[in-house]
Coordinates of all heavy atoms in Angstrom, one line a residue:
E1 N -76.2 -31.6 -0.1 CA -75.5 -30.6 0.7 C -76.1 -30.4 2.0 O -75.4 -30.2 3.0 CB -75.5 -29.3 -0.2 CG -74.7 -28.1 0.4 CD -73.2 -28.3 0.4 OE1 -72.7 -29.2 -0.4 OE2 -72.5 -27.6 1.1
V2 N -77.4 -30.4 2.1 CA -78.1 -30.2 3.4 C -77.7 -31.3 4.4 O -77.3 -31.1 5.6 CB -79.6 -30.2 3.3 CG1 -80.3 -30.1 4.6 CG2 -80.0 -29.0 2.4
E3 N -77.7 -32.6 3.9 CA -77.3 -33.7 4.8 C -75.9 -33.6 5.2 O -75.5 -33.8 6.4 CB -77.5 -35.0 4.0 CG -77.3 -36.2 4.9 CD -77.7 -37.5 4.3 OE1 -77.9 -37.6 3.0 OE2 -77.7 -38.5 5.0
E4 N -75.0 -33.2 4.3 CA -73.6 -33.0 4.7 C -73.4 -31.9 5.7 O -72.6 -32.1 6.7 CB -72.7 -32.7 3.4 CG -71.3 -32.5 3.7 CD -70.6 -32.1 2.4 OE1 -70.9 -32.6 1.3 OE2 -69.7 -31.2 2.5
E5 N -74.1 -30.8 5.6 CA -73.9 -29.7 6.5 C -74.5 -29.8 7.8 O -74.0 -29.4 8.9 CB -74.3 -28.4 5.8 CG -73.5 -28.0 4.6 CD -72.1 -27.7 4.8 OE1 -71.8 -27.2 5.9 OE2 -71.3 -27.9 3.9
I6 N -75.8 -30.3 7.8 CA -76.6 -30.3 9.1 C -77.2 -31.7 9.4 O -77.9 -31.8 10.4 CB -77.6 -29.2 9.2 CG1 -78.6 -29.3 8.1 CG2 -76.9 -27.9 9.2 CD1 -79.8 -28.4 8.2
G7 N -76.9 -32.7 8.6 CA -77.4 -34.0 8.9 C -78.9 -34.4 8.6 O -79.4 -35.3 9.2
L8 N -79.5 -33.5 7.8 CA -80.9 -33.8 7.5 C -81.1 -34.2 6.1 O -80.5 -33.6 5.2 CB -81.8 -32.5 7.7 CG -82.0 -32.0 9.2 CD1 -82.8 -30.7 9.2 CD2 -82.6 -33.1 10.0
K9 N -81.9 -35.3 5.9 CA -82.3 -35.6 4.5 C -83.5 -34.8 4.1 O -84.4 -34.7 4.9 CB -82.6 -37.1 4.4 CG -81.4 -38.0 4.6 CD -81.7 -39.4 4.4 CE -80.5 -40.2 4.7 NZ -80.2 -41.2 3.7
V10 N -83.5 -34.2 2.9 CA -84.6 -33.4 2.5 C -85.0 -33.7 1.1 O -84.2 -34.2 0.3 CB -84.2 -31.8 2.6 CG1 -83.9 -31.4 4.0 CG2 -83.1 -31.5 1.7
E11 N -86.2 -33.3 0.8 CA -86.7 -33.3 -0.6 C -86.8 -31.9 -1.1 O -87.4 -31.0 -0.4 CB -88.1 -34.0 -0.6 CG -88.8 -34.0 -1.9 CD -90.2 -34.6 -1.9 OE1 -91.1 -33.9 -1.4 OE2 -90.3 -35.7 -2.2
I12 N -86.1 -31.6 -2.2 CA -86.1 -30.3 -2.7 C -87.4 -29.9 -3.4 O -88.0 -30.7 -4.1 CB -85.0 -30.1 -3.8 CG1 -83.6 -30.5 -3.1 CG2 -85.0 -28.7 -4.4 CD1 -83.3 -29.6 -2.0
G13 N -87.9 -28.7 -3.1 CA -89.2 -28.2 -3.6 C -89.0 -27.1 -4.6 O -88.0 -27.1 -5.4
D14 N -89.9 -26.2 -4.6 CA -89.9 -25.1 -5.6 C -88.7 -24.1 -5.4 O -88.2 -23.9 -4.3 CB -91.1 -24.2 -5.4 CG -92.4 -25.0 -5.8 OD1 -92.3 -25.9 -6.6 OD2 -93.5 -24.6 -5.3
L15 N -88.3 -23.5 -6.5 CA -87.2 -22.5 -6.5 C -87.7 -21.3 -5.7 O -88.8 -20.8 -6.0 CB -86.8 -22.1 -7.9 CG -85.8 -21.0 -8.1 CD1 -84.5 -21.4 -7.6 CD2 -85.8 -20.6 -9.6
I16 N -86.9 -20.7 -4.8 CA -87.3 -19.5 -4.1 C -86.7 -18.3 -4.9 O -87.4 -17.4 -5.2 CB -86.7 -19.4 -2.7 CG1 -87.4 -20.5 -1.8 CG2 -86.9 -18.1 -2.1 CD1 -86.8 -20.7 -0.5
G17 N -85.4 -18.4 -5.3 CA -84.8 -17.4 -6.1 C -83.3 -17.6 -6.3 O -82.7 -18.5 -5.8
V18 N -82.8 -16.8 -7.2 CA -81.4 -16.9 -7.6 C -80.8 -15.5 -7.2 O -81.3 -14.5 -7.6 CB -81.2 -17.1 -9.1 CG1 -79.7 -17.1 -9.5 CG2 -81.9 -18.4 -9.5
Y19 N -79.7 -15.6 -6.4 CA -79.2 -14.3 -5.8 C -77.7 -14.2 -6.2 O -76.9 -15.1 -6.0 CB -79.3 -14.4 -4.2 CG -80.8 -14.6 -3.8 CD1 -81.2 -15.9 -3.6 CD2 -81.7 -13.6 -3.8 CE1 -82.6 -16.2 -3.3 CE2 -83.0 -13.8 -3.4 CZ -83.4 -15.1 -3.2 OH -84.8 -15.3 -2.9
D20 N -77.4 -13.0 -6.6 CA -76.1 -12.6 -7.1 C -75.4 -11.9 -6.0 O -75.9 -10.9 -5.5 CB -76.3 -11.7 -8.3 CG -75.2 -11.8 -9.3 OD1 -74.4 -12.8 -9.3 OD2 -75.0 -10.9 -10.1
I21 N -74.2 -12.3 -5.6 CA -73.4 -11.7 -4.5 C -72.1 -11.3 -5.1 O -71.3 -12.2 -5.5 CB -73.2 -12.6 -3.3 CG1 -74.6 -13.1 -2.8 CG2 -72.4 -11.9 -2.2 CD1 -74.5 -14.3 -2.0
I22 N -71.8 -10.0 -5.2 CA -70.6 -9.5 -5.8 C -69.9 -8.6 -4.8 O -70.5 -7.7 -4.3 CB -70.8 -8.7 -7.1 CG1 -71.5 -9.6 -8.1 CG2 -69.5 -8.2 -7.7 CD1 -72.0 -8.9 -9.4
K23 N -68.6 -9.0 -4.5 CA -67.8 -8.1 -3.6 C -66.7 -7.5 -4.4 O -66.0 -8.1 -5.2 CB -67.1 -9.0 -2.5 CG -66.1 -8.3 -1.7 CD -66.7 -7.3 -0.7 CE -65.6 -6.8 0.2 NZ -66.0 -5.8 1.1
R24 N -66.7 -6.1 -4.4 CA -65.8 -5.4 -5.2 C -64.7 -4.8 -4.3 O -64.9 -4.4 -3.2 CB -66.5 -4.3 -5.9 CG -67.4 -4.8 -7.0 CD -67.9 -3.8 -8.0 NE -68.7 -4.3 -9.0 CZ -68.3 -4.9 -10.1 NH1 -67.0 -5.0 -10.4 NH2 -69.2 -5.4 -11.0
S25 N -63.5 -4.6 -4.9 CA -62.4 -4.0 -4.2 C -62.6 -2.4 -4.2 O -63.5 -2.0 -5.0 CB -61.1 -4.3 -4.9 OG -61.0 -3.7 -6.2
P26 N -61.9 -1.7 -3.4 CA -62.0 -0.2 -3.5 C -61.8 0.4 -4.9 O -62.3 1.4 -5.3 CB -61.0 0.3 -2.5 CG -60.8 -0.8 -1.6 CD -61.0 -2.1 -2.4
E27 N -61.0 -0.4 -5.7 CA -60.7 0.1 -7.1 C -61.8 -0.3 -8.0 O -61.7 0.1 -9.2 CB -59.4 -0.5 -7.5 CG -58.2 0.0 -6.7 CD -58.0 -0.8 -5.4 OE1 -58.5 -2.0 -5.3 OE2 -57.5 -0.2 -4.5
G28 N -62.7 -1.1 -7.6 CA -63.9 -1.5 -8.5 C -63.7 -2.9 -9.1 O -64.7 -3.4 -9.7
G29 N -62.6 -3.5 -8.8 CA -62.4 -4.9 -9.3 C -63.3 -5.9 -8.5 O -63.6 -5.6 -7.4
V30 N -63.5 -7.0 -9.1 CA -64.3 -8.1 -8.5 C -63.4 -8.9 -7.6 O -62.4 -9.5 -8.0 CB -65.0 -9.0 -9.5 CG1 -65.7 -10.2 -8.8 CG2 -66.0 -8.2 -10.3
V31 N -63.7 -8.9 -6.3 CA -62.9 -9.7 -5.3 C -63.5 -11.1 -5.3 O -62.8 -12.1 -5.3 CB -63.0 -9.1 -3.9 CG1 -62.4 -10.0 -2.9 CG2 -62.4 -7.7 -3.9
Y32 N -64.8 -11.2 -5.3 CA -65.5 -12.5 -5.5 C -66.9 -12.3 -6.0 O -67.4 -11.2 -5.9 CB -65.5 -13.4 -4.2 CG -66.3 -12.8 -3.0 CD1 -67.7 -12.8 -3.0 CD2 -65.6 -12.2 -2.0 CE1 -68.3 -12.3 -1.9 CE2 -66.3 -11.7 -0.9 CZ -67.6 -11.7 -0.8 OH -68.3 -11.2 0.2
H33 N -67.4 -13.4 -6.6 CA -68.7 -13.3 -7.2 C -69.4 -14.7 -7.0 O -68.9 -15.7 -7.4 CB -68.6 -13.1 -8.7 CG -70.0 -13.0 -9.4 ND1 -70.1 -12.9 -10.7 CD2 -71.2 -13.0 -8.9 CE1 -71.4 -12.8 -11.1 NE2 -72.1 -12.9 -10.0
F34 N -70.4 -14.7 -6.2 CA -71.2 -16.0 -5.9 C -72.6 -15.9 -6.5 O -73.2 -14.8 -6.5 CB -71.3 -16.2 -4.4 CG -70.1 -16.5 -3.7 CD1 -69.6 -15.5 -2.7 CD2 -69.3 -17.6 -3.9 CE1 -68.4 -15.8 -2.0 CE2 -68.2 -17.9 -3.2 CZ -67.7 -16.9 -2.3
I35 N -73.1 -17.0 -7.0 CA -74.5 -17.1 -7.3 C -75.1 -18.1 -6.4 O -74.6 -19.3 -6.4 CB -74.7 -17.4 -8.8 CG1 -74.1 -16.3 -9.7 CG2 -76.1 -17.7 -9.1 CD1 -74.1 -16.6 -11.1
T36 N -76.0 -17.7 -5.6 CA -76.7 -18.6 -4.7 C -78.1 -18.9 -5.2 O -78.9 -18.0 -5.5 CB -76.8 -18.0 -3.3 OG1 -75.4 -17.7 -2.9 CG2 -77.4 -18.9 -2.3
I37 N -78.4 -20.2 -5.2 CA -79.7 -20.7 -5.7 C -80.4 -21.3 -4.5 O -79.9 -22.2 -3.9 CB -79.6 -21.7 -6.8 CG1 -78.8 -21.1 -8.0 CG2 -81.0 -22.1 -7.3 CD1 -78.4 -22.0 -9.0
C38 N -81.6 -20.7 -4.1 CA -82.3 -21.2 -2.9 C -83.6 -21.9 -3.3 O -84.4 -21.4 -4.2 CB -82.6 -20.0 -2.0 SG -81.2 -19.2 -1.3
Y39 N -83.9 -23.0 -2.7 CA -85.1 -23.8 -2.9 C -85.8 -24.0 -1.6 O -85.2 -24.0 -0.5 CB -84.7 -25.2 -3.5 CG -84.1 -25.2 -4.8 CD1 -82.8 -25.1 -5.0 CD2 -85.0 -25.3 -5.9 CE1 -82.2 -25.1 -6.3 CE2 -84.4 -25.3 -7.2 CZ -83.1 -25.2 -7.4 OH -82.5 -25.2 -8.6
R40 N -87.1 -24.2 -1.6 CA -87.8 -24.7 -0.5 C -87.4 -26.2 -0.3 O -87.0 -26.8 -1.3 CB -89.3 -24.7 -0.7 CG -89.9 -23.3 -0.7 CD -91.4 -23.3 -0.9 NE -92.0 -22.0 -0.9 CZ -92.5 -21.4 0.2 NH1 -92.5 -22.1 1.3 NH2 -93.0 -20.2 0.1
A41 N -87.5 -26.7 0.9 CA -87.2 -28.1 1.1 C -88.0 -28.7 2.2 O -88.5 -27.9 3.1 CB -85.7 -28.3 1.4
R42 N -88.3 -30.0 2.2 CA -89.1 -30.6 3.2 C -88.2 -31.7 3.8 O -87.6 -32.5 3.1 CB -90.3 -31.2 2.5 CG -91.3 -31.9 3.5 CD -92.5 -32.5 2.8 NE -92.2 -33.5 1.8 CZ -92.1 -34.8 2.2 NH1 -92.1 -35.2 3.4 NH2 -91.8 -35.7 1.2
V43 N -88.2 -31.7 5.1 CA -87.4 -32.8 5.8 C -88.1 -34.1 5.6 O -89.3 -34.3 5.8 CB -87.3 -32.4 7.3 CG1 -86.6 -33.6 8.1 CG2 -86.5 -31.1 7.6
L44 N -87.3 -35.1 5.3 CA -87.7 -36.5 5.1 C -87.6 -37.2 6.4 O -86.6 -37.1 7.1 CB -87.0 -37.2 4.0 CG -87.1 -36.6 2.6 CD1 -86.1 -37.3 1.6 CD2 -88.5 -36.6 2.1
G45 N -88.6 -38.0 6.8 CA -88.5 -38.8 8.0 C -89.1 -38.0 9.2 O -89.7 -37.0 9.0
N46 N -88.9 -38.6 10.3 CA -89.5 -38.0 11.6 C -88.6 -37.2 12.4 O -89.0 -36.6 13.4 CB -90.1 -39.1 12.4 CG -91.3 -39.8 11.7 OD1 -92.0 -39.2 10.8 ND2 -91.5 -41.1 11.9
S47 N -87.3 -37.2 12.1 CA -86.3 -36.6 13.0 C -85.9 -35.2 12.4 O -85.6 -35.1 11.2 CB -85.0 -37.4 13.1 OG -84.1 -36.7 13.8
F48 N -86.0 -34.2 13.3 CA -85.6 -32.8 12.9 C -84.4 -32.5 13.7 O -84.0 -31.3 13.8 CB -86.8 -31.9 13.2 CG -87.9 -32.0 12.3 CD1 -88.9 -33.0 12.5 CD2 -88.0 -31.2 11.1 CE1 -90.0 -33.1 11.6 CE2 -89.1 -31.3 10.3 CZ -90.0 -32.3 10.5
E49 N -83.7 -33.5 14.2 CA -82.5 -33.2 15.0 C -81.3 -32.8 14.1 O -81.0 -33.4 13.1 CB -82.0 -34.5 15.8 CG -80.8 -34.3 16.6 CD -80.3 -35.5 17.2 OE1 -81.0 -36.6 17.1 OE2 -79.2 -35.5 17.8
L50 N -80.7 -31.6 14.4 CA -79.6 -31.1 13.6 C -78.3 -31.7 14.1 O -78.1 -31.8 15.3 CB -79.6 -29.6 13.7 CG -80.8 -28.8 13.3 CD1 -80.7 -27.3 13.6 CD2 -81.1 -29.1 11.8
K51 N -77.5 -32.2 13.1 CA -76.2 -32.8 13.4 C -75.2 -32.1 12.5 O -74.9 -32.6 11.5 CB -76.3 -34.3 13.1 CG -77.3 -35.0 14.0 CD -77.4 -36.5 13.5 CE -78.5 -37.2 14.3 NZ -78.9 -38.5 13.7
P52 N -74.7 -30.9 13.0 CA -73.8 -30.2 12.2 C -72.5 -31.0 11.8 O -72.0 -31.7 12.7 CB -73.4 -29.0 13.1 CG -74.5 -28.9 14.1 CD -75.0 -30.3 14.3
G53 N -72.1 -30.8 10.6 CA -70.8 -31.4 10.2 C -69.6 -30.7 10.8 O -69.8 -29.7 11.5
E54 N -68.4 -31.3 10.6 CA -67.2 -30.8 11.2 C -66.9 -29.3 10.9 O -66.3 -28.6 11.7 CB -66.0 -31.6 10.8 CG -66.1 -33.0 11.4 CD -64.9 -33.9 11.0 OE1 -63.9 -33.3 10.4 OE2 -64.9 -35.1 11.2
D55 N -67.3 -28.9 9.7 CA -67.0 -27.5 9.3 C -68.1 -26.5 9.6 O -68.0 -25.4 9.2 CB -66.7 -27.5 7.8 CG -67.8 -28.0 6.9 OD1 -68.7 -28.7 7.4 OD2 -67.9 -27.6 5.7
V56 N -69.1 -27.0 10.4 CA -70.2 -26.1 10.7 C -70.0 -25.7 12.2 O -69.9 -26.5 13.1 CB -71.6 -26.8 10.5 CG1 -72.7 -25.9 11.0 CG2 -71.7 -27.2 9.1
G57 N -70.0 -24.4 12.5 CA -69.8 -23.9 13.8 C -71.0 -24.1 14.7 O -70.8 -24.2 15.9
G58 N -72.1 -24.3 14.2 CA -73.3 -24.5 15.0 C -74.6 -24.4 14.1 O -74.5 -23.8 13.1
A59 N -75.6 -25.0 14.6 CA -76.9 -25.0 13.9 C -78.0 -25.2 14.9 O -77.9 -25.9 15.8 CB -77.0 -26.1 12.8
R60 N -79.1 -24.4 14.6 CA -80.3 -24.6 15.5 C -81.5 -24.1 14.7 O -81.4 -23.4 13.7 CB -80.2 -23.8 16.8 CG -80.2 -22.3 16.7 CD -80.1 -21.6 18.0 NE -81.4 -21.3 18.6 CZ -82.1 -20.2 18.5 NH1 -81.7 -19.2 17.8 NH2 -83.2 -20.1 19.2
W61 N -82.7 -24.5 15.2 CA -84.0 -24.1 14.6 C -84.3 -22.7 15.2 O -84.0 -22.4 16.3 CB -85.1 -25.1 14.8 CG -84.9 -26.4 14.2 CD1 -84.4 -27.5 14.7 CD2 -85.1 -26.6 12.8 NE1 -84.4 -28.5 13.8 CE2 -84.7 -28.0 12.6 CE3 -85.5 -25.9 11.7 CZ2 -84.8 -28.6 11.3 CZ3 -85.5 -26.5 10.4 CH2 -85.2 -27.8 10.3
F62 N -85.0 -21.9 14.4 CA -85.5 -20.6 14.8 C -86.9 -20.4 14.5 O -87.4 -20.9 13.5 CB -84.7 -19.4 14.1 CG -83.3 -19.2 14.4 CD1 -82.3 -20.0 13.8 CD2 -82.9 -18.3 15.4 CE1 -81.0 -19.8 14.1 CE2 -81.6 -18.2 15.7 CZ -80.6 -18.9 15.1
M63 N -87.7 -19.8 15.4 CA -89.0 -19.3 15.0 C -88.9 -18.1 14.1 O -87.9 -17.3 14.3 CB -89.8 -19.0 16.3 CG -90.0 -20.1 17.3 SD -91.0 -21.4 16.5 CE -92.5 -20.6 16.2
P64 N -89.8 -17.9 13.2 CA -89.7 -16.7 12.3 C -89.5 -15.4 13.1 O -88.8 -14.5 12.7 CB -91.0 -16.7 11.6 CG -91.4 -18.2 11.5 CD -90.9 -18.7 12.8
S65 N -90.2 -15.3 14.3 CA -90.1 -14.0 15.1 C -88.7 -13.8 15.6 O -88.3 -12.7 16.1 CB -91.1 -14.1 16.2 OG -90.9 -15.1 17.1
E66 N -87.9 -14.9 15.7 CA -86.5 -14.7 16.2 C -85.5 -14.3 15.2 O -84.3 -14.0 15.5 CB -86.0 -16.1 16.8 CG -86.8 -16.6 18.0 CD -86.3 -18.0 18.4 OE1 -86.6 -18.9 17.7 OE2 -85.7 -18.0 19.5
I67 N -85.9 -14.3 13.9 CA -84.9 -14.1 12.8 C -84.9 -12.6 12.5 O -85.9 -11.9 12.4 CB -85.3 -14.9 11.6 CG1 -85.4 -16.4 11.9 CG2 -84.3 -14.6 10.4 CD1 -86.0 -17.2 10.8
S68 N -83.6 -12.1 12.4 CA -83.4 -10.7 12.0 C -82.3 -10.6 11.0 O -81.5 -11.6 11.0 CB -83.2 -9.8 13.2 OG -81.9 -10.1 13.7
P69 N -82.1 -9.5 10.3 CA -81.0 -9.4 9.4 C -79.6 -9.4 10.1 O -78.6 -9.7 9.4 CB -81.2 -8.0 8.7 CG -82.6 -7.6 9.1 CD -83.0 -8.4 10.3
D70 N -79.6 -9.2 11.4 CA -78.4 -9.2 12.1 C -77.8 -10.6 12.3 O -76.6 -10.8 12.6 CB -78.6 -8.7 13.5 CG -79.1 -7.2 13.5 OD1 -79.0 -6.6 12.5 OD2 -79.7 -6.8 14.5
I71 N -78.6 -11.7 12.2 CA -78.1 -13.0 12.5 C -78.0 -14.0 11.2 O -77.7 -15.1 11.4 CB -78.9 -13.7 13.6 CG1 -80.4 -13.9 13.2 CG2 -78.8 -12.9 14.9 CD1 -81.2 -14.8 14.1
V72 N -78.4 -13.5 10.1 CA -78.4 -14.3 8.8 C -77.6 -13.5 7.8 O -77.5 -12.2 7.9 CB -79.8 -14.7 8.4 CG1 -80.4 -15.6 9.4 CG2 -80.6 -13.5 8.0
T73 N -77.2 -14.1 6.7 CA -76.6 -13.4 5.6 C -77.6 -12.6 4.8 O -78.8 -12.9 4.9 CB -75.9 -14.4 4.7 OG1 -76.9 -15.2 4.1 CG2 -74.9 -15.3 5.4
D74 N -77.1 -11.7 4.1 CA -78.0 -10.9 3.3 C -78.9 -11.7 2.3 O -80.1 -11.5 2.1 CB -77.3 -9.8 2.4 CG -76.6 -8.8 3.3 OD1 -77.0 -8.6 4.5 OD2 -75.7 -8.1 2.8
T75 N -78.2 -12.8 1.7 CA -78.9 -13.6 0.8 C -80.0 -14.4 1.5 O -81.1 -14.6 1.0 CB -77.9 -14.6 0.2 OG1 -76.9 -13.8 -0.5 CG2 -78.6 -15.5 -0.8
T76 N -79.7 -15.0 2.7 CA -80.7 -15.7 3.5 C -81.9 -14.8 3.8 O -83.0 -15.2 3.7 CB -80.1 -16.3 4.8 OG1 -79.1 -17.2 4.4 CG2 -81.1 -17.0 5.6
W77 N -81.6 -13.6 4.3 CA -82.7 -12.6 4.6 C -83.5 -12.3 3.4 O -84.8 -12.4 3.5 CB -82.1 -11.3 5.2 CG -83.1 -10.4 5.6 CD1 -83.5 -9.2 4.9 CD2 -83.9 -10.5 6.7 NE1 -84.5 -8.6 5.6 CE2 -84.8 -9.3 6.7 CE3 -84.1 -11.4 7.8 CZ2 -85.8 -9.1 7.7 CZ3 -85.0 -11.1 8.8 CH2 -85.8 -10.0 8.7
Q78 N -82.9 -12.1 2.2 CA -83.7 -11.9 1.0 C -84.6 -13.0 0.7 O -85.8 -12.9 0.3 CB -82.8 -11.5 -0.1 CG -83.6 -11.0 -1.4 CD -84.4 -9.8 -1.1 OE1 -83.9 -8.8 -0.7 NE2 -85.7 -9.9 -1.4
A79 N -84.0 -14.3 0.8 CA -84.8 -15.5 0.5 C -86.0 -15.6 1.4 O -87.1 -15.9 1.0 CB -84.0 -16.7 0.5
L80 N -85.8 -15.3 2.7 CA -86.9 -15.4 3.7 C -87.9 -14.3 3.4 O -89.1 -14.6 3.6 CB -86.3 -15.3 5.1 CG -85.4 -16.4 5.6 CD1 -84.8 -16.1 6.9 CD2 -86.2 -17.7 5.7
C81 N -87.5 -13.2 3.0 CA -88.4 -12.1 2.6 C -89.2 -12.5 1.4 O -90.5 -12.4 1.3 CB -87.7 -10.8 2.2 SG -86.9 -10.0 3.6
D82 N -88.5 -13.1 0.4 CA -89.2 -13.5 -0.9 C -90.3 -14.6 -0.7 O -91.3 -14.6 -1.4 CB -88.2 -14.0 -1.9 CG -87.3 -12.9 -2.4 OD1 -87.6 -11.7 -2.2 OD2 -86.3 -13.2 -3.0
I83 N -90.2 -15.4 0.4 CA -91.2 -16.4 0.7 C -92.2 -15.9 1.7 O -93.1 -16.7 2.1 CB -90.6 -17.8 1.0 CG1 -89.8 -17.7 2.3 CG2 -89.9 -18.4 -0.1 CD1 -89.4 -19.1 2.9
G84 N -92.0 -14.7 2.2 CA -93.0 -14.2 3.2 C -92.8 -14.7 4.6 O -93.7 -14.5 5.4
L85 N -91.7 -15.3 4.9 CA -91.5 -15.8 6.2 C -91.1 -14.7 7.2 O -91.4 -14.8 8.4 CB -90.4 -16.9 6.2 CG -90.3 -17.7 7.5 CD1 -91.5 -18.5 7.8 CD2 -89.1 -18.6 7.4
V86 N -90.5 -13.7 6.8 CA -90.2 -12.5 7.6 C -90.7 -11.2 6.9 O -90.9 -11.2 5.7 CB -88.6 -12.4 7.9 CG1 -88.1 -13.5 8.6 CG2 -87.9 -12.2 6.6
R87 N -90.9 -10.2 7.7 CA -91.4 -8.9 7.2 C -90.2 -8.1 6.9 O -89.3 -7.9 7.7 CB -92.3 -8.3 8.2 CG -92.8 -6.9 7.7 CD -93.8 -6.4 8.7 NE -95.0 -7.0 8.6 CZ -96.1 -6.6 9.1 NH1 -96.1 -5.5 9.8 NH2 -97.3 -7.2 8.9
C88 N -90.2 -7.6 5.6 CA -89.0 -6.8 5.2 C -89.4 -5.4 4.9 O -90.5 -5.0 4.7 CB -88.5 -7.4 3.9 SG -88.0 -9.1 4.1

């Protein structure tokens, strides 16, 4: 999936967490339910050049100090908190 989305080959590492995302309608019904599983990963090879796929609007590297909850999804923010990369 990583290679398809951003063009990087990676080796999957330890599990970071499993995150449940449920969107409910005003009436309380489930509109959608996603389960996201996040892992640490290590880039294979010497190239860290991002090559977004056709369905990716853009991709870039960030320093931890540049990351805020305003620019990532709630799940991504929680995963970054869980590994101590950002202060929550």
Side-chain angles (χ1 to χ4, degrees):
E1 187 70 18
V2 175
E3 186 173 9
E4 178 184 324
E5 296 294 330
I6 59 171
L8 292 177
K9 291 185 185 226
V10 300
E11 176 181 76
I12 300 301
D14 294 336
L15 175 69
I16 294 171
V18 178
Y19 305 93
D20 210 20
I21 306 162
I22 301 171
K23 169 73 173 178
R24 295 194 176 275
S25 69
E27 298 79 29
V30 175
V31 175
Y32 61 78
H33 182 189
F34 294 113
I35 296 174
T36 303
I37 304 169
C38 296
Y39 293 89
R40 290 181 180 267
R42 182 177 65 82
V43 175
L44 299 174
N46 296 331
S47 176
F48 290 83
E49 180 185 355
L50 300 176
K51 298 174 187 167
E54 291 180 12
D55 61 337
V56 176
R60 71 179 270 266
W61 293 104
F62 290 85
M63 296 298 296
S65 61
E66 296 178 288
I67 303 171
S68 72
D70 303 338
I71 64 169
V72 297
T73 64
D74 292 345
T75 302
T76 299
W77 183 255
Q78 187 59 56
L80 294 172
C81 290
D82 289 348
I83 62 171
L85 192 62
V86 295
R87 183 176 280 197
C88 302

